Amino acid sequence: MGTYRLLALAVLVGTAAALQAINVATVEFEEGYTPLFGFDNIVRSADDRTVSLLLDRSTGSGFVSSSMYQHGFFSASIKLPSDYTAGVVVAFYVSNGDVFEKRHDELDFEFLGNIRGKPWRVQTNMYGNGSVSRGREERYVLPFDPTTEFHRYSILWTRAAVVFFVDDVPVREVRRSAAMAGDFPSKPMFLYATVWDASTWATSGGRYSVNYRYGPFVASFTDLALLGCRVDPIQMPSSGSAECTAVEDALLASDLAVMTLEKQQAMRRFREHNMVYSYCYDTLRYPVPFPECSVVDSERRRFKGNGHLRLALRRRHRPRPEARPGRPTRAADM
């Protein structure tokens, strides 16, 4: 393990220890979720508090919350597939694409598979009102091995802001502004968790495909948390109720939504050590930065015009030859 990786891990561990842990009630799978697809590839624990999703040659798999939520806090501890996982995407996200096909909202964690010996990358993204042509992607290198134990990933969504957390450390905050208009998610959403084959784009822009000789690929989820106002998708037009307003007011007033100085400092450190792409610095795609982008000159100089980090992060020594995977998957291997 390289010096930088040790330093980044120490920074994250020290940061997490300095912050107050996020404590919310968790639920059994049956209480809050239902299978979505790949039913034979969904394995639930005896106590119904852990669920594993499998991707094999036949199909991926996924589950979805039983209710929609008008704002809320959504969290899970996730252990990602191990070994060679190029092309495999594990997603944990909220969306309403099945209800609002042309004007859907979405908030994403996408774990973008990896080549053995390389660090995992996670992408966060946000869409509002069908704004799919204006992707707000940010990518980070995880400063730990997410395949050996569970790590917690959380999304806080209120009418004022969206915050993404890794192990209770905020890693991204998007504050709502009038200039964002409908690009800020505002309609009720379901929570989803999926694992699927994204060979065409996930790892090095599609250079490396899923190799099913290393499957099945297993992603496990536990400590499932759903906190927010449940909304009936059929009765949605009348669901902006006083009850939902009261629930969100309580959420906004809670420690979850208060961005303390300690949280701001922790977020800045994580981003300095781990962010490798930001749409705010991608002037090739977006010559004019989006209104929510806070362009910091010292940070901007670290990124190229395409939004990617100028210098690759030094993480670990190169793997021994025998630890490297074979060539990218051929059709015969699928």
Side-chain angles (χ1 to χ4, degrees):
M1 183 180 291
T3 302
Y4 182 88
R5 186 178 172 97
L6 284 171
L7 175 60
L9 181 58
V11 166
L12 186 70
V13 170
T15 298
L19 295 176
Q20 182 178 358
I22 295 175
N23 294 311
V24 294
T26 61
V27 298
E28 295 180 7
F29 184 85
E30 192 71 26
E31 291 180 81
Y33 304 90
T34 186
L36 179 63
F37 70 99
F39 304 119
D40 291 339
N41 280 4
I42 300 175
V43 180
R44 291 156 61 175
S45 65
D47 64 2
D48 209 31
R49 290 191 172 274
T50 301
V51 58
S52 294
L53 301 179
L54 281 67
L55 167 67
D56 59 22
R57 294 176 186 269
S58 62
T59 183
S61 53
F63 62 84
V64 60
S65 61
S66 304
S67 301
M68 300 184 83
Y69 290 83
Q70 181 63 54
H71 303 118
F73 180 79
F74 314 96
S75 183
S77 293
I78 305 172
K79 184 162 68 172
L80 298 178
S82 59
D83 209 338
Y84 182 78
T85 54
V88 177
V89 165
V90 176
F92 181 73
Y93 63 105
V94 288
S95 175
N96 50 32
D98 291 336
V99 179
F100 302 99
E101 185 176 350
K102 301 290 186 181
R103 52 191 183 95
H104 87 286
D105 306 300
E106 188 167 312
L107 298 167
D108 300 313
F109 270 114
E110 291 179 311
F111 303 91
L112 304 178
N114 78 328
I115 305 165
R116 188 191 299 137
K118 300 290 185 179
W120 272 79
R121 298 190 177 204
V122 60
Q123 174 171 286
T124 61
N125 207 347
M126 182 180 83
Y127 300 111
N129 207 33
S131 57
V132 294
S133 63
R134 297 184 293 278
R136 287 170 157 85
E137 302 97 333
E138 286 190 350
R139 292 183 183 178
Y140 325 91
V141 172
L142 290 173
F144 48 74
D145 185 345
T147 72
T148 57
E149 58 186 3
F150 286 92
H151 289 269
R152 189 175 188 177
Y153 307 90
S154 310
I155 300 170
L156 173 67
W157 170 46
T158 71
R159 60 176 176 264
V162 169
V163 185
F164 295 88
F165 297 85
V166 175
D167 281 339
D168 298 346
V169 176
V171 302
R172 179 182 184 183
E173 179 187 32
V174 181
R175 304 292 301 179
R176 186 175 192 169
S177 69
M180 292 185 69
D183 281 8
F184 190 89
S186 60
K187 299 183 292 295
M189 292 192 272
F190 291 101
L191 174 72
Y192 295 85
T194 58
V195 59
W196 51 290
D197 185 329
S199 293
T200 59
W201 66 271
T203 307
S204 299
R207 181 182 176 189
Y208 299 98
S209 302
V210 175
N211 189 330
Y212 285 101
R213 289 180 298 178
Y214 294 93
F217 305 97
V218 181
S220 298
F221 300 75
T222 193
D223 297 333
L224 300 166
L226 292 168
L227 180 64
C229 185
R230 295 184 181 184
V231 173
D232 185 332
I234 298 176
Q235 301 296 327
M236 246 191 312
S238 61
S239 292
S241 64
E243 180 183 357
C244 276
T245 300
V247 170
E248 185 178 7
D249 286 346
L251 182 63
L252 282 167
S254 71
D255 290 340
L256 285 171
V258 177
M259 187 60 72
T260 63
L261 177 61
E262 289 78 13
K263 287 182 181 179
Q264 294 175 33
Q265 292 172 337
M267 181 168 64
R268 188 192 70 243
R269 287 193 293 268
F270 183 95
R271 294 169 68 81
E272 286 178 351
H273 286 87
N274 299 282
M275 189 165 71
V276 294
Y277 171 83
S278 173
Y279 71 106
C280 287
Y281 299 115
D282 192 342
T283 56
L284 297 183
R285 290 173 68 192
Y286 308 115
V288 178
F290 289 179
E292 72 276 9
C293 289
S294 297
V295 177
V296 181
D297 284 341
S298 60
E299 188 173 73
R300 179 181 55 80
R301 288 193 290 268
R302 296 171 47 227
F303 293 87
K304 296 181 287 188
N306 61 4
H308 291 273
L309 199 65
R310 288 186 180 278
L311 299 175
L313 299 178
R314 292 190 302 121
R315 291 278 165 169
R316 58 171 68 181
H317 300 299
R318 294 177 63 186
R320 296 187 302 271
E322 63 269 24
R324 296 176 185 168
R327 296 177 58 190
T329 306
R330 299 171 297 176
D333 294 327
M334 301 295 285

